[in-house]
């Protein structure tokens, strides 16, 4: 896992433009232009806060797997753990490994409360969050979806 740089833009454009991946994410699929803007935001976020979203790569091959890390939720709920990996990565433990490492890093940097949000129907994401020790802390509705709020207190 490495903080994103401009060299990661082609991978991020493909990932964020894919409905299978970003169809689940807040604000959905991104255009190439929006992905570029978000990359700039992610770079700035790291610079200001000392944490953020990482690009996730497979150790052996160096293949880009997706993203994992932190964002400030625009709805004011707090700093949120998020992850989005290629569907081909499912069932291999990559999301759990990246999310667990991110959560530990976030608490080491001083984040007392880290949240995560998953759609109720996203069983795989919910399983990752509970497996890494996050607990259900509430729910809300967003665009017709029941959203589950998880938290970790460090």
């Amino acid at each position: 896992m490495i903080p994103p740089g401009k060299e990661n833009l082609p991978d991020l454009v493909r990932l964020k433009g894919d409905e299978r991946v970003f169809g689940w994410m807040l604000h959905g699929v991104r255009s190439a232009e929006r992905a570029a803007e978000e990359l700039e935001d992610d770079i700035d976020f790291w610079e200001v806060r000392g944490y953020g979203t990482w690009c996730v790569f497979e150790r052996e091959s160096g293949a880009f797997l997706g993203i994992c890390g932190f964002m400030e939720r625009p709805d004011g709920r707090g700093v949120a753990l998020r992850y989005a990996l290629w569907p081909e990565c499912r069932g291999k433990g990559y999301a759990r490994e990246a999310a667990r490492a991110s959560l530990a890093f976030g608490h080491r940097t001083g984040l007392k409360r880290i949240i995560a949000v998953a759609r109720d129907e996203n069983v795989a994401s919910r399983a990752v969050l509970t497996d890494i020790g996050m607990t259900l802390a509430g729910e809300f509705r967003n665009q017709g979806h029941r959203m589950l709020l998880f938290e970790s207190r460090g």
Side-chain angles (χ1 to χ4, degrees), residues 13-31:
V13 167
R14 280 193 311 278
L15 184 79
K16 292 182 175 194
D18 193 309
E19 178 68 33
R20 300 170 305 152
V21 182
F22 262 70
W24 292 99
M25 302 298 282
L26 184 64
H27 306 304
V29 173
R30 275 54 162 184
S31 67

Side-chain angles (χ1 to χ4, degrees), residues 3-154:
K6 293 185 186 297
E7 69 278 7
N8 303 116
L9 183 58
D11 287 328
L12 293 169
V13 167
R14 280 193 311 278
L15 184 79
K16 292 182 175 194
D18 193 309
E19 178 68 33
R20 300 170 305 152
V21 182
F22 262 70
W24 292 99
M25 302 298 282
L26 184 64
H27 306 304
V29 173
R30 275 54 162 184
S31 67
E33 294 78 18
R34 182 67 191 136
E37 291 169 4
E38 288 183 356
L39 174 58
E40 292 295 328
D41 292 343
D42 287 342
I43 292 168
D44 292 344
F45 198 89
W46 268 102
E47 196 172 298
V48 170
R49 301 222 184 171
Y51 59 84
T53 299
W54 287 275
C55 290
V56 179
F57 297 90
E58 184 181 44
R59 284 187 189 109
E60 291 78 33
S61 69
F64 175 76
L65 303 179
I67 60 170
C68 185
F70 303 108
M71 64 173 282
E72 185 73 37
R73 292 248 339 155
D75 57 15
R77 286 185 165 84
V79 174
L81 172 67
R82 70 179 186 154
Y83 45 89
L85 281 71
W86 291 111
E88 297 78 20
C89 296
R90 292 182 187 143
K92 298 179 181 177
Y94 294 127
R96 278 178 182 78
E97 182 179 352
R100 185 175 283 118
S102 297
L103 196 59
F105 179 87
H107 286 311
R108 278 196 313 273
T109 63
L111 294 172
K112 301 293 182 217
R113 178 177 181 257
I114 298 169
I115 66 163
V117 174
R119 285 186 192 172
D120 182 44
E121 67 265 25
N122 191 344
V123 176
S125 189
R126 290 173 34 208
V128 168
L129 296 173
T130 56
D131 285 354
I132 66 170
M134 297 190 83
T135 57
L136 187 60
E139 63 180 72
F140 61 97
R141 294 202 69 76
N142 184 29
Q143 297 179 344
H145 298 283
R146 181 175 173 235
M147 309 301 289
L148 302 178
L149 176 71
F150 293 81
E151 71 177 4
S152 174
R153 295 196 178 261

